[in-house]
Amino acid sequence: MPPQPQIMVDLQFEQYMPDPDLDTIAKLISQDPGLAGALLKLVNSPHFGLANKIGSIQRAVNLLGSRSIINLINAQSIKGEMSDETIVTLNRFWDTAQDVAMTCLTLAKRTGIQAADEAYTLGLFHDCGVPLMLKRFPDYMQVLEDAYAKASEHTRVVDTENRAFNTNHSVVGYFTAKSWRLPEHISAAIANHHNALSIFREDASRNTQSQLKNLLAVLKMAEHICASYRVLGNQSVDHEWQVVGPLVLDYVGLSEYDFENLKQNIRELGGH
């Protein structure tokens, strides 16, 4: 996945400082799914022999140290140029990825139903298949807009993509997350983030998917609050949330009124 150009500039500036600041580097890397994915792939590789896979960018940066991080940054920076047109198109993806990640972090802290760092990681990576689909299919954004427009109780966003391309950004995102060696439950949430309706409709007495439901509940609320349906889907109405929203709020234990207040509060915090 191509890194966001301005993030690379800021990171390279930081690496030339006499004493590079790991907190600053972690914050910058956390804003870019491509860099963050490369970082987590490295730290979760067998070379490090960690007992448990890491989903936190801050922890990964602290473990690797500035020298390894700088090598990673330099490797990413020589992966090729992007056209101005592609950069403009991908700005829609980068902007919403950052917004959703920060909103997931806030929601996780306020609801207490998911670890905050894992919620942030999911928010950042959930649509990581989008720029890869765009790279492979030049008309992908038009199909994605059509997919958001047709979302309903009987048609998932990914169904429209499947008909056009025989694959979709959730599937591509899942395999990308696997290649980055993200924890399995985060990869599963990426794979299922447009399959939330069937997951939340399942018998509530079955606890086998509680971790997946926790992650998806935070993510679906965050996507709605950040208006992904408008930023990525170019729609005025969030058709997907209209269907899955009531089930998510019931699972979390929030009334519609409470969620509207929470949504307004978070949007004010984010400057929306």
Short mmCIF file of all heavy atoms in Angstrom, two decimals, residues 56-117:
data_model
loop_
_atom_site.label_atom_id
_atom_site.label_comp_id
_atom_site.label_asym_id
_atom_site.label_seq_id
_atom_site.Cartn_x
_atom_site.Cartn_y
_atom_site.Cartn_z
N SER A 56 -0.66 -2.78 18.64
CA SER A 56 -0.48 -1.38 19.03
C SER A 56 0.75 -0.79 18.35
O SER A 56 1.86 -1.32 18.49
CB SER A 56 -0.32 -1.27 20.56
OG SER A 56 0.19 -0.01 20.92
N ILE A 57 0.55 0.30 17.61
CA ILE A 57 1.67 0.94 16.91
C ILE A 57 2.69 1.50 17.90
O ILE A 57 3.89 1.37 17.71
CB ILE A 57 1.16 2.05 15.96
CG1 ILE A 57 0.46 1.42 14.75
CG2 ILE A 57 2.29 2.92 15.44
CD1 ILE A 57 -0.99 1.46 14.71
N GLN A 58 2.23 2.11 18.99
CA GLN A 58 3.12 2.68 19.99
C GLN A 58 4.03 1.61 20.60
O GLN A 58 5.24 1.81 20.74
CB GLN A 58 2.32 3.37 21.10
CG GLN A 58 3.17 4.03 22.17
CD GLN A 58 3.94 5.24 21.67
OE1 GLN A 58 3.35 6.20 21.21
NE2 GLN A 58 5.27 5.21 21.74
N ARG A 59 3.46 0.47 20.94
CA ARG A 59 4.25 -0.61 21.51
C ARG A 59 5.27 -1.14 20.51
O ARG A 59 6.41 -1.46 20.86
CB ARG A 59 3.34 -1.76 21.97
CG ARG A 59 2.60 -1.48 23.27
CD ARG A 59 1.80 -2.70 23.70
NE ARG A 59 2.67 -3.85 23.96
CZ ARG A 59 2.26 -5.11 23.93
NH1 ARG A 59 1.00 -5.39 23.62
NH2 ARG A 59 3.08 -6.09 24.19
N ALA A 60 4.85 -1.22 19.24
CA ALA A 60 5.75 -1.71 18.20
C ALA A 60 6.94 -0.77 18.02
O ALA A 60 8.08 -1.21 17.89
CB ALA A 60 4.98 -1.88 16.89
N VAL A 61 6.67 0.54 18.02
CA VAL A 61 7.74 1.53 17.87
C VAL A 61 8.71 1.45 19.05
O VAL A 61 9.94 1.48 18.87
CB VAL A 61 7.15 2.96 17.74
CG1 VAL A 61 8.23 4.02 17.91
CG2 VAL A 61 6.47 3.12 16.39
N ASN A 62 8.18 1.33 20.24
CA ASN A 62 9.04 1.24 21.42
C ASN A 62 9.91 -0.02 21.40
O ASN A 62 11.07 0.01 21.82
CB ASN A 62 8.17 1.24 22.69
CG ASN A 62 7.53 2.59 22.95
OD1 ASN A 62 7.99 3.62 22.45
ND2 ASN A 62 6.46 2.60 23.72
N LEU A 63 9.36 -1.11 20.88
CA LEU A 63 10.12 -2.36 20.81
C LEU A 63 11.24 -2.30 19.77
O LEU A 63 12.35 -2.76 20.00
CB LEU A 63 9.18 -3.53 20.47
CG LEU A 63 8.54 -4.28 21.64
CD1 LEU A 63 7.53 -5.28 21.11
CD2 LEU A 63 9.60 -5.01 22.46
N LEU A 64 10.93 -1.70 18.62
CA LEU A 64 11.89 -1.69 17.52
C LEU A 64 13.01 -0.67 17.72
O LEU A 64 14.15 -0.91 17.34
CB LEU A 64 11.18 -1.41 16.20
CG LEU A 64 10.33 -2.55 15.63
CD1 LEU A 64 9.62 -2.08 14.37
CD2 LEU A 64 11.19 -3.76 15.32
N GLY A 65 12.65 0.49 18.28
CA GLY A 65 13.64 1.55 18.44
C GLY A 65 13.79 2.38 17.17
O GLY A 65 13.37 1.97 16.09
N SER A 66 14.42 3.54 17.31
CA SER A 66 14.45 4.52 16.23
C SER A 66 15.22 4.03 15.00
O SER A 66 14.82 4.29 13.86
CB SER A 66 15.05 5.84 16.72
OG SER A 66 16.38 5.66 17.18
N ARG A 67 16.32 3.31 15.19
CA ARG A 67 17.12 2.89 14.03
C ARG A 67 16.35 1.97 13.10
O ARG A 67 16.32 2.14 11.89
CB ARG A 67 18.42 2.22 14.52
CG ARG A 67 19.34 1.71 13.42
CD ARG A 67 19.58 2.72 12.31
NE ARG A 67 20.00 4.02 12.80
CZ ARG A 67 20.03 5.10 12.04
NH1 ARG A 67 19.65 5.03 10.78
NH2 ARG A 67 20.42 6.26 12.54
N SER A 68 15.70 0.94 13.68
CA SER A 68 14.91 0.02 12.86
C SER A 68 13.74 0.74 12.20
O SER A 68 13.40 0.46 11.04
CB SER A 68 14.39 -1.14 13.72
OG SER A 68 15.46 -1.93 14.19
N ILE A 69 13.13 1.66 12.93
CA ILE A 69 12.00 2.41 12.37
C ILE A 69 12.47 3.25 11.19
O ILE A 69 11.79 3.31 10.15
CB ILE A 69 11.37 3.32 13.45
CG1 ILE A 69 10.74 2.47 14.56
CG2 ILE A 69 10.33 4.24 12.83
CD1 ILE A 69 9.59 1.61 14.13
N ILE A 70 13.61 3.90 11.32
CA ILE A 70 14.13 4.74 10.24
C ILE A 70 14.44 3.89 9.00
O ILE A 70 14.15 4.29 7.87
CB ILE A 70 15.38 5.52 10.72
CG1 ILE A 70 14.96 6.63 11.68
CG2 ILE A 70 16.15 6.11 9.53
CD1 ILE A 70 16.11 7.24 12.46
N ASN A 71 14.99 2.69 9.22
CA ASN A 71 15.23 1.79 8.09
C ASN A 71 13.93 1.42 7.38
O ASN A 71 13.86 1.36 6.15
CB ASN A 71 15.93 0.52 8.56
CG ASN A 71 17.37 0.78 8.98
OD1 ASN A 71 17.97 1.76 8.58
ND2 ASN A 71 17.91 -0.11 9.81
N LEU A 72 12.90 1.19 8.18
CA LEU A 72 11.58 0.85 7.63
C LEU A 72 11.03 2.02 6.81
O LEU A 72 10.52 1.83 5.70
CB LEU A 72 10.62 0.50 8.76
CG LEU A 72 9.16 0.25 8.38
CD1 LEU A 72 9.03 -1.06 7.63
CD2 LEU A 72 8.28 0.22 9.62
N ILE A 73 11.16 3.23 7.35
CA ILE A 73 10.67 4.43 6.66
C ILE A 73 11.39 4.60 5.32
O ILE A 73 10.76 4.85 4.28
CB ILE A 73 10.88 5.69 7.53
CG1 ILE A 73 9.99 5.62 8.78
CG2 ILE A 73 10.58 6.96 6.74
CD1 ILE A 73 10.38 6.62 9.86
N ASN A 74 12.69 4.43 5.34
CA ASN A 74 13.47 4.59 4.11
C ASN A 74 13.09 3.55 3.07
O ASN A 74 13.02 3.85 1.87
CB ASN A 74 14.97 4.50 4.42
CG ASN A 74 15.46 5.70 5.20
OD1 ASN A 74 14.86 6.76 5.15
ND2 ASN A 74 16.55 5.54 5.93
N ALA A 75 12.83 2.33 3.52
CA ALA A 75 12.42 1.28 2.58
C ALA A 75 11.09 1.61 1.93
O ALA A 75 10.90 1.42 0.73
CB ALA A 75 12.33 -0.06 3.32
N GLN A 76 10.17 2.15 2.73
CA GLN A 76 8.85 2.51 2.19
C GLN A 76 8.94 3.67 1.21
O GLN A 76 8.18 3.75 0.25
CB GLN A 76 7.89 2.87 3.34
CG GLN A 76 7.48 1.70 4.20
CD GLN A 76 6.58 0.73 3.48
OE1 GLN A 76 5.60 1.12 2.85
NE2 GLN A 76 6.91 -0.56 3.54
N SER A 77 9.87 4.58 1.45
CA SER A 77 9.93 5.81 0.66
C SER A 77 10.42 5.58 -0.77
O SER A 77 10.26 6.44 -1.62
CB SER A 77 10.84 6.84 1.35
OG SER A 77 12.18 6.40 1.32
N ILE A 78 11.03 4.42 -1.04
CA ILE A 78 11.57 4.18 -2.38
C ILE A 78 10.70 3.21 -3.17
O ILE A 78 11.14 2.64 -4.16
CB ILE A 78 13.02 3.64 -2.31
CG1 ILE A 78 13.08 2.34 -1.50
CG2 ILE A 78 13.95 4.69 -1.72
CD1 ILE A 78 14.47 1.70 -1.50
N LYS A 79 9.46 3.04 -2.75
CA LYS A 79 8.59 2.07 -3.42
C LYS A 79 7.91 2.63 -4.67
O LYS A 79 7.04 2.00 -5.23
CB LYS A 79 7.54 1.54 -2.44
CG LYS A 79 8.14 0.53 -1.47
CD LYS A 79 7.08 -0.32 -0.84
CE LYS A 79 7.70 -1.48 -0.08
NZ LYS A 79 6.71 -2.33 0.56
N GLY A 80 8.28 3.82 -5.09
CA GLY A 80 7.74 4.31 -6.36
C GLY A 80 6.89 5.56 -6.19
O GLY A 80 6.37 5.83 -5.12
N GLU A 81 6.77 6.28 -7.29
CA GLU A 81 6.00 7.52 -7.32
C GLU A 81 4.54 7.22 -7.64
O GLU A 81 4.22 6.25 -8.31
CB GLU A 81 6.58 8.48 -8.37
CG GLU A 81 8.01 8.90 -8.11
CD GLU A 81 8.13 9.78 -6.87
OE1 GLU A 81 7.22 10.59 -6.64
OE2 GLU A 81 9.13 9.64 -6.14
N MET A 82 3.67 8.10 -7.17
CA MET A 82 2.26 8.03 -7.54
C MET A 82 1.91 9.25 -8.35
O MET A 82 2.47 10.33 -8.14
CB MET A 82 1.38 7.99 -6.28
CG MET A 82 1.45 6.70 -5.50
SD MET A 82 0.27 6.72 -4.13
CE MET A 82 1.02 7.95 -3.08
N SER A 83 0.97 9.11 -9.26
CA SER A 83 0.52 10.27 -10.03
C SER A 83 -0.28 11.20 -9.14
O SER A 83 -0.85 10.79 -8.13
CB SER A 83 -0.34 9.81 -11.21
OG SER A 83 -1.59 9.31 -10.74
N ASP A 84 -0.33 12.48 -9.53
CA ASP A 84 -1.10 13.47 -8.77
C ASP A 84 -2.57 13.06 -8.68
O ASP A 84 -3.22 13.23 -7.65
CB ASP A 84 -0.99 14.85 -9.42
CG ASP A 84 0.41 15.44 -9.27
OD1 ASP A 84 1.16 14.95 -8.40
OD2 ASP A 84 0.74 16.37 -10.01
N GLU A 85 -3.09 12.49 -9.75
CA GLU A 85 -4.50 12.08 -9.78
C GLU A 85 -4.77 10.99 -8.75
O GLU A 85 -5.78 11.01 -8.04
CB GLU A 85 -4.87 11.59 -11.18
CG GLU A 85 -6.34 11.22 -11.32
CD GLU A 85 -6.68 10.73 -12.73
OE1 GLU A 85 -5.80 10.78 -13.60
OE2 GLU A 85 -7.83 10.30 -12.92
N THR A 86 -3.84 10.03 -8.66
CA THR A 86 -4.01 8.94 -7.69
C THR A 86 -3.93 9.46 -6.26
O THR A 86 -4.69 9.04 -5.39
CB THR A 86 -2.93 7.86 -7.91
OG1 THR A 86 -3.00 7.39 -9.25
CG2 THR A 86 -3.12 6.70 -6.95
N ILE A 87 -3.01 10.40 -6.03
CA ILE A 87 -2.87 10.99 -4.70
C ILE A 87 -4.16 11.69 -4.27
O ILE A 87 -4.63 11.53 -3.15
CB ILE A 87 -1.68 11.97 -4.66
CG1 ILE A 87 -0.36 11.19 -4.74
CG2 ILE A 87 -1.70 12.81 -3.37
CD1 ILE A 87 0.86 12.07 -4.88
N VAL A 88 -4.74 12.44 -5.18
CA VAL A 88 -5.99 13.17 -4.88
C VAL A 88 -7.10 12.17 -4.54
O VAL A 88 -7.84 12.34 -3.56
CB VAL A 88 -6.41 14.06 -6.07
CG1 VAL A 88 -7.82 14.59 -5.87
CG2 VAL A 88 -5.43 15.22 -6.22
N THR A 89 -7.21 11.10 -5.33
CA THR A 89 -8.24 10.09 -5.07
C THR A 89 -8.02 9.40 -3.73
O THR A 89 -8.96 9.20 -2.95
CB THR A 89 -8.25 9.04 -6.20
OG1 THR A 89 -8.44 9.70 -7.45
CG2 THR A 89 -9.37 8.03 -6.00
N LEU A 90 -6.76 9.05 -3.46
CA LEU A 90 -6.46 8.34 -2.21
C LEU A 90 -6.59 9.22 -0.98
O LEU A 90 -6.69 8.71 0.14
CB LEU A 90 -5.06 7.73 -2.27
CG LEU A 90 -4.91 6.49 -3.15
CD1 LEU A 90 -3.48 6.00 -3.14
CD2 LEU A 90 -5.82 5.37 -2.69
N ASN A 91 -6.59 10.54 -1.15
CA ASN A 91 -6.79 11.43 -0.01
C ASN A 91 -8.12 11.14 0.68
O ASN A 91 -8.23 11.27 1.91
CB ASN A 91 -6.74 12.90 -0.45
CG ASN A 91 -5.32 13.42 -0.51
OD1 ASN A 91 -4.42 12.84 0.10
ND2 ASN A 91 -5.09 14.49 -1.24
N ARG A 92 -9.12 10.73 -0.09
CA ARG A 92 -10.41 10.37 0.50
C ARG A 92 -10.24 9.19 1.45
O ARG A 92 -10.82 9.14 2.54
CB ARG A 92 -11.42 10.01 -0.59
CG ARG A 92 -11.86 11.18 -1.44
CD ARG A 92 -12.54 10.72 -2.72
NE ARG A 92 -13.80 10.04 -2.46
CZ ARG A 92 -14.55 9.51 -3.43
NH1 ARG A 92 -14.16 9.56 -4.69
NH2 ARG A 92 -15.69 8.91 -3.13
N PHE A 93 -9.42 8.23 1.03
CA PHE A 93 -9.17 7.08 1.88
C PHE A 93 -8.36 7.45 3.11
O PHE A 93 -8.69 7.08 4.24
CB PHE A 93 -8.42 6.00 1.08
CG PHE A 93 -7.75 4.97 1.95
CD1 PHE A 93 -8.49 4.00 2.60
CD2 PHE A 93 -6.38 5.00 2.14
CE1 PHE A 93 -7.87 3.06 3.41
CE2 PHE A 93 -5.75 4.06 2.94
CZ PHE A 93 -6.51 3.09 3.58
N TRP A 94 -7.26 8.20 2.92
CA TRP A 94 -6.40 8.55 4.05
C TRP A 94 -7.15 9.37 5.10
O TRP A 94 -7.01 9.14 6.29
CB TRP A 94 -5.19 9.33 3.55
CG TRP A 94 -4.12 8.46 2.98
CD1 TRP A 94 -3.63 7.29 3.50
CD2 TRP A 94 -3.41 8.66 1.76
NE1 TRP A 94 -2.65 6.77 2.68
CE2 TRP A 94 -2.48 7.58 1.61
CE3 TRP A 94 -3.43 9.66 0.78
CZ2 TRP A 94 -1.62 7.48 0.53
CZ3 TRP A 94 -2.55 9.55 -0.29
CH2 TRP A 94 -1.67 8.47 -0.42
N ASP A 95 -7.94 10.33 4.63
CA ASP A 95 -8.68 11.20 5.56
C ASP A 95 -9.65 10.40 6.41
O ASP A 95 -9.71 10.56 7.63
CB ASP A 95 -9.43 12.29 4.79
CG ASP A 95 -8.50 13.35 4.21
OD1 ASP A 95 -7.33 13.39 4.63
OD2 ASP A 95 -8.94 14.11 3.34
N THR A 96 -10.41 9.53 5.78
CA THR A 96 -11.42 8.79 6.54
C THR A 96 -10.77 7.72 7.42
O THR A 96 -11.25 7.43 8.52
CB THR A 96 -12.47 8.15 5.61
OG1 THR A 96 -13.58 7.69 6.40
CG2 THR A 96 -11.93 6.97 4.83
N ALA A 97 -9.62 7.15 7.00
CA ALA A 97 -8.93 6.15 7.83
C ALA A 97 -8.48 6.76 9.15
O ALA A 97 -8.67 6.18 10.23
CB ALA A 97 -7.72 5.57 7.08
N GLN A 98 -7.91 7.97 9.09
CA GLN A 98 -7.47 8.64 10.31
C GLN A 98 -8.65 9.00 11.20
O GLN A 98 -8.61 8.81 12.42
CB GLN A 98 -6.70 9.91 9.95
CG GLN A 98 -5.23 9.67 9.68
CD GLN A 98 -4.52 10.97 9.35
OE1 GLN A 98 -4.12 11.17 8.22
NE2 GLN A 98 -4.37 11.85 10.30
N ASP A 99 -9.71 9.54 10.60
CA ASP A 99 -10.88 9.95 11.37
C ASP A 99 -11.53 8.76 12.07
O ASP A 99 -11.88 8.82 13.26
CB ASP A 99 -11.92 10.63 10.46
CG ASP A 99 -11.53 12.05 10.10
OD1 ASP A 99 -10.59 12.59 10.73
OD2 ASP A 99 -12.16 12.63 9.19
N VAL A 100 -11.71 7.67 11.33
CA VAL A 100 -12.35 6.48 11.91
C VAL A 100 -11.48 5.89 13.01
O VAL A 100 -11.99 5.47 14.06
CB VAL A 100 -12.65 5.44 10.81
CG1 VAL A 100 -13.14 4.12 11.43
CG2 VAL A 100 -13.71 5.96 9.84
N ALA A 101 -10.17 5.88 12.81
CA ALA A 101 -9.27 5.34 13.84
C ALA A 101 -9.38 6.13 15.14
O ALA A 101 -9.50 5.55 16.23
CB ALA A 101 -7.82 5.35 13.34
N MET A 102 -9.34 7.46 15.05
CA MET A 102 -9.44 8.29 16.25
C MET A 102 -10.80 8.15 16.92
O MET A 102 -10.91 8.13 18.15
CB MET A 102 -9.18 9.76 15.90
CG MET A 102 -7.73 10.08 15.61
SD MET A 102 -6.61 9.62 16.97
CE MET A 102 -7.26 10.61 18.31
N THR A 103 -11.85 8.01 16.11
CA THR A 103 -13.19 7.85 16.67
C THR A 103 -13.34 6.49 17.33
O THR A 103 -13.97 6.38 18.40
CB THR A 103 -14.25 8.03 15.56
OG1 THR A 103 -14.08 9.33 14.97
CG2 THR A 103 -15.66 7.93 16.11
N CYS A 104 -12.76 5.45 16.74
CA CYS A 104 -12.77 4.12 17.38
C CYS A 104 -12.07 4.19 18.74
O CYS A 104 -12.54 3.59 19.72
CB CYS A 104 -12.06 3.11 16.50
SG CYS A 104 -13.03 2.47 15.12
N LEU A 105 -10.96 4.90 18.81
CA LEU A 105 -10.23 5.05 20.06
C LEU A 105 -11.10 5.71 21.12
O LEU A 105 -11.19 5.23 22.26
CB LEU A 105 -8.98 5.90 19.80
CG LEU A 105 -8.06 6.17 21.00
CD1 LEU A 105 -7.38 4.90 21.46
CD2 LEU A 105 -7.02 7.23 20.63
N THR A 106 -11.77 6.79 20.74
CA THR A 106 -12.64 7.50 21.68
C THR A 106 -13.81 6.64 22.12
O THR A 106 -14.14 6.58 23.32
CB THR A 106 -13.18 8.80 21.02
OG1 THR A 106 -12.07 9.60 20.61
CG2 THR A 106 -14.03 9.59 22.00
N LEU A 107 -14.44 5.95 21.17
CA LEU A 107 -15.59 5.10 21.50
C LEU A 107 -15.19 3.95 22.41
O LEU A 107 -15.92 3.59 23.34
CB LEU A 107 -16.22 4.55 20.22
CG LEU A 107 -17.04 5.52 19.39
CD1 LEU A 107 -17.35 4.93 18.02
CD2 LEU A 107 -18.33 5.90 20.11
N ALA A 108 -14.03 3.36 22.16
CA ALA A 108 -13.55 2.25 22.99
C ALA A 108 -13.36 2.71 24.43
O ALA A 108 -13.70 2.00 25.38
CB ALA A 108 -12.25 1.69 22.42
N LYS A 109 -12.80 3.90 24.60
CA LYS A 109 -12.58 4.43 25.94
C LYS A 109 -13.90 4.75 26.64
O LYS A 109 -14.05 4.52 27.84
CB LYS A 109 -11.71 5.69 25.86
CG LYS A 109 -10.25 5.41 25.52
CD LYS A 109 -9.44 6.70 25.43
CE LYS A 109 -7.97 6.43 25.16
NZ LYS A 109 -7.19 7.68 25.02
N ARG A 110 -14.86 5.27 25.89
CA ARG A 110 -16.13 5.70 26.51
C ARG A 110 -17.08 4.54 26.77
O ARG A 110 -17.87 4.60 27.71
CB ARG A 110 -16.80 6.75 25.64
CG ARG A 110 -15.99 8.03 25.54
CD ARG A 110 -16.82 9.19 25.09
NE ARG A 110 -16.02 10.41 25.00
CZ ARG A 110 -16.52 11.60 24.72
NH1 ARG A 110 -17.82 11.75 24.52
NH2 ARG A 110 -15.74 12.66 24.66
N THR A 111 -17.04 3.51 25.92
CA THR A 111 -17.96 2.39 26.11
C THR A 111 -17.33 1.26 26.92
O THR A 111 -18.04 0.47 27.54
CB THR A 111 -18.43 1.82 24.76
OG1 THR A 111 -17.29 1.32 24.03
CG2 THR A 111 -19.13 2.90 23.92
N GLY A 112 -15.99 1.18 26.86
CA GLY A 112 -15.30 0.14 27.61
C GLY A 112 -15.50 -1.26 27.08
O GLY A 112 -15.21 -2.24 27.77
N ILE A 113 -15.97 -1.39 25.82
CA ILE A 113 -16.24 -2.73 25.31
C ILE A 113 -15.09 -3.29 24.48
O ILE A 113 -15.15 -4.42 24.02
CB ILE A 113 -17.54 -2.78 24.47
CG1 ILE A 113 -17.41 -1.95 23.18
CG2 ILE A 113 -18.73 -2.36 25.28
CD1 ILE A 113 -18.54 -2.19 22.21
N GLN A 114 -14.03 -2.49 24.26
CA GLN A 114 -12.92 -2.98 23.46
C GLN A 114 -11.64 -2.26 23.87
O GLN A 114 -11.68 -1.09 24.25
CB GLN A 114 -13.18 -2.74 21.97
CG GLN A 114 -12.16 -3.36 21.03
CD GLN A 114 -12.05 -4.88 21.20
OE1 GLN A 114 -13.05 -5.57 21.29
NE2 GLN A 114 -10.83 -5.37 21.29
N ALA A 115 -10.51 -2.97 23.78
CA ALA A 115 -9.20 -2.36 24.07
C ALA A 115 -8.98 -1.20 23.12
O ALA A 115 -9.15 -1.33 21.90
CB ALA A 115 -8.10 -3.40 23.91
N ALA A 116 -8.59 -0.05 23.67
CA ALA A 116 -8.50 1.17 22.88
C ALA A 116 -7.48 1.07 21.75
O ALA A 116 -7.75 1.52 20.63
CB ALA A 116 -8.18 2.35 23.79
N ASP A 117 -6.31 0.47 22.01
CA ASP A 117 -5.29 0.41 20.96
C ASP A 117 -5.71 -0.51 19.83
O ASP A 117 -5.44 -0.24 18.65
CB ASP A 117 -3.92 0.00 21.54
CG ASP A 117 -3.95 -1.35 22.23
OD1 ASP A 117 -5.04 -1.85 22.51
OD2 ASP A 117 -2.85 -1.89 22.49
#
